[in-house]
């Protein structure tokens, strides 16, 4: 499999080159030259396949000959070694709980796969790679955990001091070894600006091999297809495929789902569930994609004003608006509606949603109201315990804290405090 840049001004590359580079030199996103079709027999008999087998078969065409079969199987086995259950919430809606991984958010899948691919590629080259990433919360934890102890990879994470939740902060700062956390006295935007500057700095690039681990990397994006297949495996009404609602921010997750559908996974329809950041909801009405300044909401991992992966969705549908619109709907949900949804779903169904899942749930309900014969799945992208303030005030009681979180909260935070000043980051990286 070869990958081209969505800006079409960069050379064609293979999976290894795309993974190491992250973004194409022309600032476009890498996209596969063809969309491979999954074996129809696997879809028909999907319940007889293990998750590892499904994952291997889905990803193999994308990695091509850059990773040997045995190693690839090992990588996918380690990627999906935690439960991803489909839980019935009521008669029409089930929740795909993507939060049983080590950092309690769906990003674990992509981060675990990418880190192991990078380890494989770096070992082949016997050099050291520095992964530099800015986080507003969930990405940092997933990347830290995914790369922890990975040979040949140093990880430097920048996060805004006081602006991530206590659980998220501990997930970033307690690992040690090859994971370094820089606590920036500033905002997420400051962190991101500093990271971008480092990627363009000649002094740094002369000394270090820098790469990024954000969601535009193909090795983080493509493995997110796996759990759409796992959802279908657990879907009982195979004659009536599900509508799937995806809480969306940068649109990498939903884009992977749409890719899975184009590869042959039965899906009725996709819902892009958005909070007040409604760029795509507006696009589906006006056919115009107008980036906006992001606004802060309760579902903060979706506070994105210019979703970078949306271009890949356009690419999948070959920029044909009618085709896209026939498979994708979108709703924009307010914080008040998010809170009301967490409350009602807890009271009526005894099921605890996190704010992101709540945005997905209400969007799905809205769609199903006008499509009464269909049933759906909402992707629960994070564990409610990651957002205790919002969730506990809705359900009126403390959330059960998983053992992994209890353990991590007792560990000591290790971070290096720096100013929102590029000079300080540079000095740190060059030392
Ligand atoms: C990152 C994240 C999202 C948004 O996912 P995208 O792939 O960026 O659309 C949604 N929910 C949670 C909990 C997240 O961490």
């Amino acid at each position: 499999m070869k990958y081209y840049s969505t800006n079409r001004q960069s050379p064609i590359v293979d999976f290894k080159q795309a993974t190491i580079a992250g973004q194409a030199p022309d600032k476009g996103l890498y996209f596969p030259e063809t969309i491979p079709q999954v074996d129809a027999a696997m879809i028909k008999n999907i319940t007889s396949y293990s998750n590892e087998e499904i994952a291997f078969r889905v990803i193999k065409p994308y990695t091509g000959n850059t990773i040997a079969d045995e190693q690839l199987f090992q990588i996918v086995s380690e990627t999906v070694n935690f439960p991803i259950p489909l839980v019935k919430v009521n008669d029409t809606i089930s929740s795909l709980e993507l939060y049983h991984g080590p950092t309690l958010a769906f990003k674990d899948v992509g981060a675990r796969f990418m880190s192991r691919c990078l380890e494989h590629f770096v070992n082949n080259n016997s050099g050291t790679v520095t992964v530099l990433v800015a986080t507003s919360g969930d990405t940092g934890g997933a990347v830290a955990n995914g790369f922890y102890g990975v040979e040949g990879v140093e990880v430097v994470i920048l996060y805004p001091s006081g602006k991530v939740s206590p659980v998220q902060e501990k997930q970033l700062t307690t690992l040690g070894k090859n994971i370094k956390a820089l606590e920036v006295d500033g905002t997420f935007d400051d962190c991101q600006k500093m990271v971008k500057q480092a990627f363009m700095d000649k002094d740094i690039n002369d000394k270090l091999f820098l790469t990024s681990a954000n969601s535009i990397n193909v090795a983080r994006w493509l493995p997110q297809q796996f759990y759409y297949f796992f959802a279908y495996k657990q879907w009982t009404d195979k004659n009536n495929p599900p509508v799937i609602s995806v809480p969306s921010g940068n649109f990498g997750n939903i884009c992977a789902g749409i890719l899975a559908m184009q590869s042959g996974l039965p899906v009725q329809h996709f819902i892009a569930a958005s909070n007040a950041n409604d760029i795509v909801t507006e696009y589906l009405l006006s056919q115009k994609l107008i980036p906006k300044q992001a606004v802060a909401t309760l579902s903060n991992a979706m506070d994105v004003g210019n979703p970078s992966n949306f271009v890949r969705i356009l690419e999948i549908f070959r920029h044909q608006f009618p085709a896209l619109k026939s498979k994708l709907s979108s709703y924009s949900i307010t914080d008040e509606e998010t809170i009301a949804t967490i409350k009602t779903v807890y009271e009526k169904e005894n099921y605890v949603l996190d704010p992101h899942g709540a945005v997905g749930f209400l969007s799905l309900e809205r769609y199903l109201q006008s499509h009464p014969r269909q049933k759906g799945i909402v992707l629960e992208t994070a564990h409610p315990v990651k957002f205790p303030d919002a969730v506990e005030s809705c359900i009126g009681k403390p959330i059960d804290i998983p053992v992994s979180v209890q353990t991590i909260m007792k560990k000591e935070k290790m971070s290096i405090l720096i100013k929102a000043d590029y000079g300080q980051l540079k000095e740190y990286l060059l030392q």
Side-chain angles (χ1 to χ4, degrees):
M1 176 71 76
K2 293 281 192 271
Y3 297 80
Y4 63 89
S5 163
T6 51
N7 283 346
R8 292 175 169 75
Q9 303 295 318
S10 297
I12 303 289
V13 297
D14 66 12
F15 179 78
K16 175 178 173 176
Q17 293 165 310
T19 297
I20 292 175
Q23 193 160 22
D26 63 8
K27 305 287 174 221
L29 271 59
Y30 283 119
F31 194 85
E33 278 196 322
T34 54
I35 298 180
Q37 295 301 298
V38 291
D39 186 1
M42 180 178 90
I43 296 299
K44 200 152 173 268
N45 304 309
I46 195 155
T47 51
S48 62
Y49 287 76
S50 70
N51 282 1
E52 290 89 338
E53 283 168 336
I54 294 170
F56 177 83
R57 282 162 181 259
V58 168
I59 205 72
K60 178 65 197 170
Y62 291 100
T63 54
N65 58 10
T66 63
I67 307 176
D69 284 0
E70 205 178 314
Q71 252 139 352
L72 184 63
F73 197 84
Q74 175 73 24
I75 291 173
V76 299
S77 305
E78 290 174 17
T79 301
V80 300
N81 68 352
F82 51 86
I84 303 185
L86 185 67
V87 175
K88 211 168 151 70
V89 179
N90 60 30
D91 279 347
T92 50
I93 299 182
S94 300
S95 164
L96 186 70
E97 294 182 350
L98 296 171
Y99 58 66
H100 297 286
T103 73
L104 313 178
F106 81 93
K107 291 190 174 72
D108 279 327
V109 174
R112 289 166 81 72
F113 184 80
M114 180 188 165
S115 60
R116 284 158 179 81
C117 289
L118 205 55
E119 174 177 39
H120 175 73
F121 295 145
V122 171
N123 279 352
N124 280 354
N125 288 352
S126 65
T128 301
V129 169
T130 302
V131 171
L132 184 64
V133 70
T135 184
S136 58
D138 279 343
T139 299
V143 168
N145 196 284
F147 283 91
Y148 179 61
V150 168
E151 204 88 19
V153 180
E154 289 288 323
V155 178
V156 179
I157 300 168
L158 279 74
Y159 75 97
S161 181
K163 295 189 180 66
V164 303
S165 83
V167 179
Q168 289 173 328
E169 181 170 44
K170 290 280 179 156
Q171 286 176 339
L172 295 175
T173 56
T174 57
L175 288 169
K177 270 201 191 169
N178 60 329
I179 313 294
K180 303 290 182 314
L182 299 184
E183 181 175 357
V184 178
D185 184 13
T187 62
F188 169 64
D189 285 337
D190 293 328
C191 298
Q192 202 156 29
K193 227 182 276 167
M194 289 158 77
V195 165
K196 282 193 177 148
Q197 210 170 336
F199 276 103
M200 293 184 305
D201 188 323
K202 189 173 178 304
D203 298 340
I204 289 182
N205 286 290
D206 282 348
K207 187 148 179 253
L208 300 174
F209 191 99
L210 279 190
T211 190
S212 142
N214 60 23
S215 67
I216 61 174
N217 195 301
V218 291
R220 253 192 76 184
W221 170 50
L222 294 168
Q224 296 178 136
Q225 295 176 91
F226 297 164
Y227 42 75
Y228 291 89
F229 288 87
F230 304 164
Y232 183 69
K233 178 177 158 184
Q234 298 169 78
W235 184 253
T236 45
D237 193 1
K238 297 278 196 287
N239 293 324
N240 188 17
V243 175
I244 302 184
S245 175
V246 187
S248 295
N250 242 329
F251 280 71
N253 196 2
I254 190 169
C255 180
I258 295 172
L259 188 67
M261 173 179 72
Q262 297 300 82
S263 313
L265 181 73
V267 179
Q268 197 84 244
H269 198 74
F270 274 96
I271 315 278
S274 296
N275 55 29
N277 296 285
D278 59 356
I279 302 87
V280 172
T281 318
E282 287 296 315
Y283 169 79
L284 285 167
L285 295 171
S286 69
Q287 221 174 312
K288 291 194 186 80
L289 194 71
I290 305 167
K292 296 182 188 172
Q293 190 78 24
V295 297
T297 73
L298 285 177
S299 43
N300 60 12
M302 293 151 56
D303 295 347
V304 179
N306 188 9
S308 45
N309 278 290
F310 194 70
V311 60
R312 284 185 168 138
I313 297 184
L314 297 176
E315 208 68 25
I316 293 176
F317 291 106
R318 298 175 191 278
H319 300 261
Q320 301 294 309
F321 186 72
L324 184 152
K325 201 165 159 112
S326 73
K327 279 294 177 187
L328 182 69
S329 299
S330 177
Y331 299 90
S332 163
I333 305 297
T334 66
D335 274 356
E336 291 71 33
E337 290 168 327
T338 304
I339 288 174
T341 304
I342 299 176
K343 275 191 185 149
T344 334
V345 172
Y346 179 65
E347 281 160 14
K348 276 173 58 185
E349 325 290 356
N350 197 26
Y351 188 82
V352 181
L353 289 164
D354 95 292
H356 305 79
V359 169
F361 190 96
L362 185 59
S363 300
L364 181 54
E365 259 190 343
R366 293 217 167 133
Y367 182 82
L368 293 180
Q369 268 159 15
S370 50
H371 299 81
R373 241 168 258 155
Q374 302 184 6
K375 295 187 176 189
I377 293 173
V378 57
L379 266 49
E380 229 319 359
T381 46
H383 195 297
V385 81
K386 289 190 107 168
F387 308 93
D389 295 347
V391 176
E392 288 180 353
S393 68
C394 289
I395 66 171
K397 61 162 204 180
I399 309 169
D400 298 333
I401 300 181
V403 180
S404 66
V405 174
Q406 294 176 22
T407 314
I408 208 169
M409 294 312 283
K410 286 189 207 121
K411 290 195 184 161
E412 196 188 333
K413 159 178 157 183
M414 293 175 287
S415 67
I416 298 163
L417 200 59
I418 65 169
K419 292 254 155 23
D421 163 22
Y422 176 67
Q424 290 200 12
L425 173 63
K426 180 165 179 171
E427 193 182 323
Y428 176 81
L429 290 173
L430 291 177
Q431 98 203 340

